[in-house]
Amino acid sequence: MPTVLFVRHGRSAANTAGVLAGWAPGVFLDETGQAQAARVGTSIAAAELPVVEVVSSPLDRCVQTADLIAARLGTVLRSVHDGLGECRYGAWTGRAIRDLVADPLWQVVQNRPSQARFPTSEDYASESLADVQERALRTVHETDARVLERHGPDAVWVAVSHGDVIKAVLADAAGAGLDDFQRFVVDPGSVSVVRYTSRKPFVLRLNDIGGDLTAVRPASGAVPEGDAEVGGGAGTPAASAPGGGDASDGPSEVG
């Protein structure tokens, strides 16, 4: 089955300002975020991964990130899908993180995210984190099936999305419940890799912020599709730089 590279957008102006951007328009990458996105594209190109498509959230910071990645991959299909869009935070949109921490809903998001629904506002729609996970997974599975049909099981595609969205997808891939999704760390400009099979997803990489991606290149093996090699297998010689970010102590920042 195809391999999916989940890329969180590079650092944005809202990230540095400590503001929850949500679906607010006009939120772009800062200089560091642009460098992060370019680095991801360079890493994918250097690994010679057979990327056939780069799909992104429609929000500016993701479109920028995806375009910078695609520019380094040569001829590759670019598309946009609302299903990869940020959580609709409703009345929380545009507010400072330091203020949101005092809201009782913050603790629900941290400890019982499956029950978290964001408040509505006149300007922005809202949804629950369960809604986010459901539509993101539907988008990923539908896109993966399309890529498989058109390009075969060795194809790779890139999904450029947002922190909470990718965390929800990774929790599902790891067999964790949505209430455990805050255990996953997804930094700006990071790459997490999942290969979906007929039996189960395989999580190949988490929160990689600069490692060699050659190890995630699809390769035929001795075991049937969907099976894990007993004993763990021999690995890939190119897997020399694991990468990955460090989780900070305490609650996870929303967005």
Side-chain angles (χ1 to χ4, degrees):
M1 297 289 282
T3 301
V4 190
L5 276 58
F6 292 99
V7 179
R8 183 181 171 190
H9 62 79
R11 195 177 76 177
S12 71
N15 293 143
T16 53
V19 171
L20 187 62
W23 278 74
V27 177
F28 296 99
L29 303 181
D30 63 14
E31 186 174 342
T32 294
Q34 293 177 46
Q36 289 170 335
R39 184 203 68 223
V40 172
T42 298
S43 296
I44 296 172
E48 299 182 345
L49 301 181
V51 175
V52 297
E53 186 170 354
V54 178
V55 188
S56 75
S57 154
L59 295 170
D60 294 319
R61 54 199 183 274
C62 282
V63 171
Q64 266 189 294
T65 300
D67 286 346
L68 285 166
I69 292 171
R72 282 155 178 78
L73 300 181
T75 304
V76 62
L77 181 64
R78 269 286 287 120
S79 62
V80 172
H81 201 304
D82 282 358
L84 295 177
E86 177 65 288
C87 175
R88 291 174 170 86
Y89 293 115
W92 274 28
T93 304
R95 294 182 60 190
I97 296 294
R98 65 175 180 272
D99 296 333
L100 294 174
V101 170
D103 190 312
L105 180 58
W106 181 272
Q107 293 303 320
V108 179
V109 172
Q110 298 301 320
N111 302 314
R112 302 183 306 280
S114 65
Q115 301 177 32
R117 176 173 288 278
F118 295 94
T120 59
S121 75
E122 293 183 1
D123 298 320
Y124 296 103
S126 66
E127 60 186 337
S128 70
L129 285 171
D131 292 336
V132 173
Q133 185 183 54
E134 180 182 359
R135 49 99 162 160
L137 287 173
R138 182 171 60 251
T139 300
V140 169
H141 292 317
E142 289 175 353
T143 305
D144 206 53
R146 174 171 56 77
V147 169
L148 174 64
E149 181 180 2
R150 295 182 181 179
H151 303 283
D154 292 336
V156 176
W157 62 282
V158 179
V160 181
S161 189
H162 307 264
D164 283 347
V165 180
I166 296 174
K167 286 161 61 174
V169 172
L170 292 176
D172 174 80
L178 184 58
D179 282 341
D180 292 321
F181 100 126
Q182 298 290 22
R183 296 172 182 263
F184 295 83
V185 176
V186 177
D187 291 318
S190 66
V191 180
S192 298
V193 185
V194 178
R195 182 173 298 138
Y196 291 94
T197 75
S198 59
R199 181 173 300 211
K200 66 178 80 69
F202 288 93
V203 180
L204 306 181
R205 195 68 62 92
L206 288 173
N207 198 40
D208 190 314
I209 54 173
D212 184 351
L213 294 173
T214 309
V216 305
R217 186 186 300 157
S220 59
V223 299
E225 187 271 339
D227 288 357
E229 185 167 341
V230 177
T236 303
S240 58
D246 295 327
S248 61
D249 183 34
S252 173
E253 184 172 317
V254 177

